[in-house]
Amino acid sequence: MFSHTGTSQGEKGQLQSIQDHEVPESCDKTNTQPCGTKLPNGHGGHSAHKLTEWDNPNSSLPAGSYLNSEGDHVIANGELSAGSRGGALDAISSVLPPQDAAVDRTTSSEDCLNAQNAVFNDTRSCSEGDPSLDRNSSASPSTPKHSLRTFSSSTFLNTDSARLSPDDDETFSTSDRPDDSIFTDLMLLSQKNWLVHLQLFLCIVSAVFSGFDMLCDDIFGRSLFSRKQREAQSAAGWKLFGKVPLRESPPKDSKTIQQEYEARASKSDQSPSLPAQGRRKNLEFEPLSTTALILEDRPASLPAKSEEEAQRHRQEYDEMVAEAKKRELKEAQKKKKQMKERFKQEESIANAMVVWNNEILPNWESMRGTRRVRDLWWQGLPPNVRGKVWSLAIGNELNITSDLYEIFLSRAKERWKSFRETGSEMESDADSADRESSLDLIKLDISRTFPPLFIFQKVFFEENLPRLFNHFKSYNLTPDLYLIDWIFTLYTKSLPLDVACRVWDVFCRDGEEFLFRTGLGILGLYEDVLLQMDFIHIAQFLTRLPEDTPSERLLSCIANTQMISSNRKWAQVFNALIKDKEMEKSSSPTVKNS
Amino acid sequence: MQNNRKEHLYKILVIGDLGVGKTSIIKRYVHQTYSTNYRATIGVDFALKVLNWDSETVRLQLWDIAGQERFGNMTRVYYREAMGAFIVFDVTRPTTFEAVSKWKEDLDSKLTLSNGQSIATVLLANKCDQKRDFLTNNSLKMDQYCKENGFVGWFETSARENININEAANFLVKHIIASENDILKSVVPDTISPQLNSDKEMTCSYWLSLD
């Protein structure tokens, strides 16, 4: 796990005291462990402390001690995907393999996290105590391994940031396993090089927020600081020790984190003292100034970027920006469109509601059949008049009161119970006087549903959708396989609830026929998709229709469905069929399986 | 036929009384999930499981058929062209076991293979996690019962604990393939089929040529 190569006690002591000073609330009471801040859970901020300390010239840190940049691996919350989320920030991070073995390192810690918390197992080593910002480690064989273990993520230069997000800001005392617990090893640097710190810090912040597991500093190149680094080795660095954060709150997904980051970052850019926003408000995402820093030249005290490198950074940056902009724009447009549609819909619902309440419902009997009402009805009943309209449309021929309903319900339950206990149908047969109300009726209802099923297949399906009909036929996929699902549940199983409600609206108006018409509408709506599918996929598709089935388009497909066969309407065809059935007087009430 | 792999497509029925766990077994088998929420199946649900069977591909079309009495009339439609079946009962509810023979009779009366045999059927004693002593108490009796009632075998299963589900499915597939070979043997003398095409022929004869 950890290899402490030559950390002197003195250094340790110093570091510890520094930490205590920095993050007093996080101190381990036993004082056996360094204290630290929680690893940024992709958010959270301790930068207040750090920045404060950062700006605080520390006499023990010589000039030229830097935040180690070579191996900066952001210990971001494992939830963050190392990947594309970050968009514009991508280029800041490039994973650097651990380089040479630690040489002369004050402390090098490896894989400190993986055992303790898988969330962080992408974390790389850190070198605590490496005060130098080594940009040349790859070029120099003697370069020690550097890594920055952790980052406090917060808004840059925002000394209030720790306060800004109290939820996210949890400090921990280190765990009982110190080696596993290091997250915040920040090399704090002398004031002179504050700009470098800043840059690094911003990179860290960016990366943490934008959802990277790792951040390696490729931006600054690797060929800059080897000289410095040597000098700096003897210098004590600053460390912040942190503990593996427990998952006290559900981890945020990387999207949220990014949004928070963007919101916070943009806020802090403008006014550091404003509280961070949980979510960014403006949808147009401008790549942030933090990112733009990569374009800047290095501080005068450092060797300049090569032209080639600068060029590459510019190009990378442009690409990142372009991509991020594109993506954000697209998302924003989509959202805008959705919102617009929703507003429109809500408005029309609101308008319709007024009409229903003020005009139609008071004059129900006279108006229910008018063209206008029928059209409004078709467009979908506003949710708060839906119940009234449904019950008016269904009527109550039998004058059933709720008491009566309860009585029948309990009787039915009793009967059902005894039926299940005996597990036979004898019960209901025996009670022949009561036959009509017996459970047989349920079965009978199913049988009654079959004739239309037959019509559906033979007549209306074939006439409306001949291509699909033949496709289904080639797989021997008969409508009973999906239509039973649809009809028995009145589409509540297969269709999303909102769409099912629309179907029920018109079902209450037009009756059973509409259920079959809906079936044809669904088949029509998805005809192209279904034509590409084989049996099992069609069957699966039809028994569970897509969650995003668009009600408007479905309704218009239903509207386009003609329930007329050879000039006969559904009811005529249906009645003719029933008559045929009765003539047959077949022993079974079910349709013969053809 | 991609990669020259032989493909088999088998329709498998999963039947049994209400609430014995048919849907859960399929969910476990196909999606590796289990949910304690109960939702009655209406009509029939479908699932597809693809197996690598030696050097061949076996696609199992699982028909999860509603256990409710009210759908009893429909079974003939659902049974059509099936090659194998699971009949499931719930070890904690004796009535569901009593219903097993009804389901088996229903199945055999409505469906036979082209050689007149009934399709390969495996009996599943589900929810065995809730009644651990089922096996020890009933093993012999169950063997006997299967012999008498024409089941090719039985398994105690648990969808919740994922016990024996894969085993039962593999067992069934083995029997389906065996019975398929039996049929092929009886058919082969009359058939002259080009060797290259035999794969396709076989698949087609069982599934694709449904109409």
Side-chain angles (χ1 to χ4, degrees):
Chain A
M1 300 287 294
F2 251 16
S3 61
H4 293 270
T5 52
T7 306
S8 74
Q9 283 305 319
E11 268 174 29
K12 270 188 176 168
Q14 184 199 9
L15 293 171
Q16 213 161 325
S17 69
I18 287 163
Q19 284 140 17
D20 289 351
H21 168 57
E22 279 181 14
V23 216
E25 72 274 24
S26 69
C27 276
D28 191 322
K29 294 290 178 283
T30 65
N31 214 14
T32 56
Q33 305 299 337
C35 304
T37 57
K38 175 200 175 184
L39 164 75
N41 211 1
H43 47 280
H46 298 278
S47 62
H49 303 299
K50 286 167 199 154
L51 283 169
T52 312
E53 292 302 326
W54 231 338
D55 294 338
N56 181 15
N58 184 320
S59 56
S60 68
L61 292 178
S65 61
Y66 297 106
L67 189 57
N68 166 13
S69 70
E70 189 275 321
D72 307 12
H73 299 281
V74 170
I75 300 175
N77 185 321
E79 299 290 322
L80 308 181
S81 61
S84 51
R85 283 279 187 209
L89 307 159
D90 276 2
I92 329 175
S93 71
S94 66
V95 177
L96 236 111
Q99 307 258 336
D100 323 296
V103 179
D104 298 337
R105 209 78 323 261
T106 49
T107 308
S108 140
S109 43
E110 282 280 350
D111 297 304
C112 30
L113 313 160
N114 50 9
Q116 180 88 347
N117 190 339
V119 171
F120 298 101
N121 59 10
D122 280 335
T123 310
R124 282 302 179 86
S125 61
C126 339
S127 89
E128 316 147 25
D130 172 18
S132 79
L133 188 52
D134 178 5
R135 307 199 159 161
N136 197 19
S137 57
S138 61
S140 155
S142 64
T143 307
K145 180 191 304 181
H146 317 280
S147 54
L148 182 61
R149 175 140 337 114
T150 173
F151 307 89
S152 128
S153 56
S154 183
T155 46
F156 113 69
L157 282 187
N158 180 358
T159 49
D160 283 335
S161 60
R163 257 191 273 134
L164 297 185
S165 49
D167 298 349
D168 299 332
D169 187 6
E170 297 155 86
T171 22
F172 293 82
S173 61
T174 45
S175 69
D176 41 2
R177 297 183 56 199
D179 291 354
D180 289 337
S181 62
I182 295 162
F183 287 98
T184 46
D185 297 343
L186 279 177
M187 307 299 106
L188 292 186
L189 315 160
S190 75
Q191 235 176 353
K192 283 185 183 172
N193 293 293
W194 66 271
L195 184 57
V196 178
H197 305 170
L198 195 61
Q199 285 182 322
L200 279 167
F201 195 70
L202 291 172
C203 292
I204 292 158
V205 168
S206 314
V208 169
F209 276 113
S210 54
F212 296 124
D213 287 342
M214 292 189 164
L215 168 74
C216 285
D217 182 12
D218 198 31
I219 290 122
F220 298 102
R222 302 179 188 176
S223 57
L224 285 173
F225 291 112
S226 57
R227 253 178 317 128
K228 297 259 179 193
Q229 197 254 319
R230 281 235 164 246
E231 296 161 26
Q233 273 165 17
S234 59
W238 283 65
K239 285 193 281 187
L240 287 173
F241 288 90
K243 179 191 169 177
V244 177
L246 301 171
R247 282 189 166 210
E248 281 160 0
S249 54
K252 307 185 176 192
D253 67 343
S254 49
K255 183 82 186 162
T256 318
I257 290 162
Q258 188 190 341
Q259 286 173 346
E260 282 180 358
Y261 153 66
E262 283 161 5
R264 227 175 288 194
S266 58
K267 277 284 170 207
S268 63
D269 277 350
Q270 297 148 11
S271 54
S273 58
L274 278 181
Q277 299 291 307
R279 277 171 198 285
R280 67 199 149 107
K281 278 186 178 158
N282 108 36
L283 291 168
E284 263 91 37
F285 169 56
E286 274 298 317
L288 302 160
S289 58
T290 52
T291 329
L293 270 177
I294 66 167
L295 292 178
E296 290 194 1
D297 288 333
R298 296 203 174 91
S301 59
L302 305 172
K305 289 179 188 177
S306 70
E307 183 50 43
E308 203 177 284
E309 196 182 11
Q311 175 75 34
R312 200 182 74 226
H313 288 163
R314 265 195 298 277
Q315 193 184 337
E316 279 170 358
Y317 176 74
D318 287 347
E319 279 164 16
M320 291 186 305
V321 171
E323 198 177 307
K325 265 189 176 162
K326 210 167 113 191
R327 199 192 51 216
E328 293 289 327
L329 199 72
K330 216 167 152 190
E331 233 166 72
Q333 277 171 343
K334 201 175 145 196
K335 224 169 217 169
K336 213 170 155 188
K337 203 177 149 196
Q338 277 175 351
M339 290 302 281
K340 212 171 149 187
E341 245 158 55
R342 224 179 104 187
F343 285 143
K344 208 175 126 193
Q345 211 180 338
E346 278 170 7
E347 206 181 297
S348 77
I349 286 175
N351 291 338
M353 191 184 77
V354 175
V355 177
W356 279 100
N357 275 328
N358 297 344
E359 298 178 39
I360 303 169
L361 289 178
N363 309 298
W364 176 250
E365 284 308 325
S366 60
M367 285 188 79
R368 64 181 295 179
T370 61
R371 179 89 216 166
R372 178 161 167 251
V373 171
R374 285 178 67 86
D375 284 348
L376 258 181
W377 203 331
W378 181 272
Q379 284 158 26
L381 299 172
N384 53 351
V385 299
R386 188 165 260 151
K388 288 178 213 153
V389 176
W390 283 4
S391 73
L392 281 170
I394 293 165
N396 188 3
E397 274 178 47
L398 301 173
N399 285 318
I400 294 169
T401 63
S402 50
D403 287 344
L404 203 55
Y405 171 79
E406 289 302 331
I407 291 167
F408 282 125
L409 182 67
S410 64
R411 269 165 68 175
K413 276 182 178 163
E414 226 164 81
R415 198 175 288 272
W416 181 242
K417 203 172 140 211
S418 68
F419 171 77
R420 290 195 63 181
E421 274 165 4
T422 57
S424 75
E425 297 160 63
M426 291 307 161
E427 184 77 9
S428 49
D429 284 344
D431 199 0
S432 56
D434 204 13
R435 193 138 202 183
E436 263 304 293
S437 59
S438 77
L439 296 165
D440 280 345
L441 210 57
I442 296 171
K443 275 196 260 172
L444 192 59
D445 267 344
I446 286 161
S447 310
R448 283 174 186 166
T449 315
F450 288 158
L453 223 133
F454 176 79
I455 307 173
F456 182 88
Q457 164 82 335
K458 290 292 171 208
V459 183
F460 295 99
F461 186 11
E462 190 170 5
E463 286 187 14
N464 272 284
L465 303 158
R467 271 206 312 159
L468 195 62
F469 178 83
N470 286 323
H471 183 64
F472 279 21
K473 207 177 161 197
S474 72
Y475 285 114
N476 206 20
L477 199 151
T478 49
D480 35 39
L481 297 181
Y482 52 89
L483 210 59
I484 286 181
D485 245 50
W486 290 354
I487 304 295
F488 283 10
T489 64
L490 303 177
Y491 294 96
T492 49
K493 181 191 169 197
S494 322
L495 282 177
L497 184 61
D498 58 322
V499 187
C501 282
R502 295 287 301 272
V503 172
W504 279 44
D505 287 346
V506 191
F507 167 61
C508 290
R509 192 190 78 177
D510 293 359
E512 186 183 67
E513 177 187 329
F514 186 73
L515 295 179
F516 294 93
R517 214 171 149 196
T518 302
L520 289 172
I522 292 171
L523 293 172
L525 177 66
Y526 289 116
E527 182 175 22
D528 292 340
V529 188
L530 292 167
L531 282 170
Q532 306 303 318
M533 291 182 179
D534 63 2
F535 175 89
I536 193 78
H537 291 103
I538 296 171
Q540 281 180 315
F541 184 90
L542 292 179
T543 46
R544 186 149 299 280
L545 293 160
E547 208 40 52
D548 58 357
T549 298
S551 51
E552 291 308 325
R553 278 185 54 212
L554 176 60
L555 265 290
S556 73
C557 278
I558 296 171
N560 291 333
T561 301
Q562 298 304 314
M563 294 300 271
I564 288 176
S565 166
S566 330
N567 274 333
R568 290 189 305 168
K569 289 189 172 170
W570 167 269
Q572 290 171 309
V573 179
F574 180 73
N575 289 333
L577 189 93
I578 295 292
K579 226 174 217 168
D580 287 352
K581 285 276 146 195
E582 275 166 8
M583 300 274 274
E584 263 178 46
K585 274 270 178 223
S586 65
S587 53
S588 158
T590 61
V591 165
K592 289 263 163 47
N593 171 36
S594 47
Chain B
M1 293 286 139
Q2 339 164 319
N3 305 333
N4 287 329
R5 274 174 79 103
K6 222 178 196 179
E7 281 219 23
H8 303 269
L9 182 54
Y10 301 128
K11 171 175 170 180
I12 293 180
L13 307 170
V14 183
I15 52 181
D17 261 13
L18 188 71
V20 295
K22 299 178 292 294
T23 304
S24 290
I25 286 173
I26 291 173
K27 284 232 166 83
R28 171 61 78 186
Y29 183 52
V30 177
H31 304 293
Q32 287 85 40
T33 56
Y34 176 80
S35 162
T36 47
N37 297 329
Y38 175 70
R39 211 185 63 201
T41 305
I42 292 155
V44 58
D45 273 343
F46 306 90
L48 181 68
K49 173 86 176 182
V50 182
L51 296 175
N52 290 320
W53 197 266
D54 299 329
S55 59
E56 303 169 2
T57 303
V58 171
R59 302 166 83 81
L60 300 181
Q61 207 176 73
L62 297 155
W63 287 49
D64 178 9
I65 291 164
Q68 288 178 56
E69 182 70 29
R70 65 171 86 171
F71 299 109
N73 288 324
M74 291 302 302
T75 53
R76 186 191 299 276
V77 179
Y78 299 148
Y79 292 170
R80 215 165 44 196
E81 311 288 344
M83 287 294 290
F86 289 116
I87 295 181
V88 188
F89 72 97
D90 173 354
V91 294
T92 66
R93 285 191 292 147
T95 52
T96 64
F97 179 69
E98 285 157 26
V100 167
S101 57
K102 279 191 212 160
W103 282 103
K104 184 74 166 82
E105 279 164 29
D106 188 50
L107 184 65
D108 290 345
S109 68
K110 290 171 179 169
L111 179 68
T112 50
L113 295 170
S114 59
N115 61 4
Q117 302 244 312
S118 55
I119 63 167
T121 308
V122 172
L123 183 58
L124 300 183
N126 196 35
K127 307 192 188 179
C128 70
D129 57 295
Q130 290 180 38
K131 208 176 174 186
R132 298 258 175 214
D133 55 354
F134 179 82
L135 178 71
T136 46
N137 295 342
N138 295 287
S139 187
L140 282 175
K141 266 192 258 173
M142 287 293 288
D143 288 343
Q144 184 64 27
Y145 181 87
C146 283
K147 213 175 272 176
E148 283 168 7
N149 289 275
F151 289 94
V152 295
W154 70 281
F155 288 81
E156 54 165 8
T157 58
S158 165
R160 188 206 303 245
E161 307 283 332
N162 194 15
I163 298 170
N164 272 342
I165 303 217
N166 287 318
E167 288 79 357
N170 289 340
F171 182 81
L172 180 60
V173 171
K174 221 162 68 187
H175 278 270
I176 292 172
I177 290 175
S179 67
E180 193 178 49
N181 289 338
D182 280 353
I183 296 166
L184 276 189
K185 262 180 223 153
S186 64
V187 172
V188 160
D190 315 325
T191 318
I192 307 155
S193 59
Q195 209 138 38
L196 272 175
N197 256 349
S198 61
D199 296 355
K200 207 165 191 173
E201 289 283 317
M202 198 157 95
T203 316
C204 290
S205 63
Y206 286 101
W207 184 246
L208 297 177
S209 61
L210 287 178
D211 55 337

